Amino acid sequence: MQRTRTVTTDTYFFTSEVAQLLRVSPQTVTRWAKEGKLPFLRTVGGHRRYPETEIRALIAALTEPVVPLRGGADAE
């Protein structure tokens, strides 16, 4: 029986690239990854790499416009 290996063609960001995109420090990105807030893979050398599709989806979710609720303090 022959085994097949799936090769991913996903693009991954470095910690510094994610930091620039999210406008935070690289230390914050590392902390969020440790806390499970950001998805990542580890390289053979132990470095974190962040999947581009998931990071861009997170950015899109964070930049969606906020819709005000009806009946708030500003309602007439």
Side-chain angles (χ1 to χ4, degrees):
M1 177 181 254
Q2 197 171 26
R3 294 183 187 213
T4 58
R5 178 181 258 180
T6 305
V7 177
T8 61
T9 57
D10 294 339
T11 304
Y12 292 90
F13 288 130
F14 293 99
T15 301
S16 60
E17 294 172 320
V18 175
Q20 284 182 318
L21 290 169
L22 294 175
R23 296 182 180 161
V24 297
S25 71
Q27 292 82 7
T28 299
V29 172
T30 299
R31 181 170 38 88
W32 287 348
K34 287 179 181 178
E35 293 172 354
K37 295 178 181 178
L38 292 176
F40 67 92
L41 297 176
R42 286 228 185 242
T43 65
V44 175
H47 299 277
R48 290 180 185 87
R49 296 293 180 259
Y50 303 86
E52 179 180 7
T53 53
E54 293 185 50
I55 298 300
R56 292 205 184 275
L58 173 65
I59 292 167
L62 292 173
T63 57
E64 288 182 359
V66 176
V67 178
L69 297 175
R70 291 181 171 223
D74 295 336
E76 293 180 20

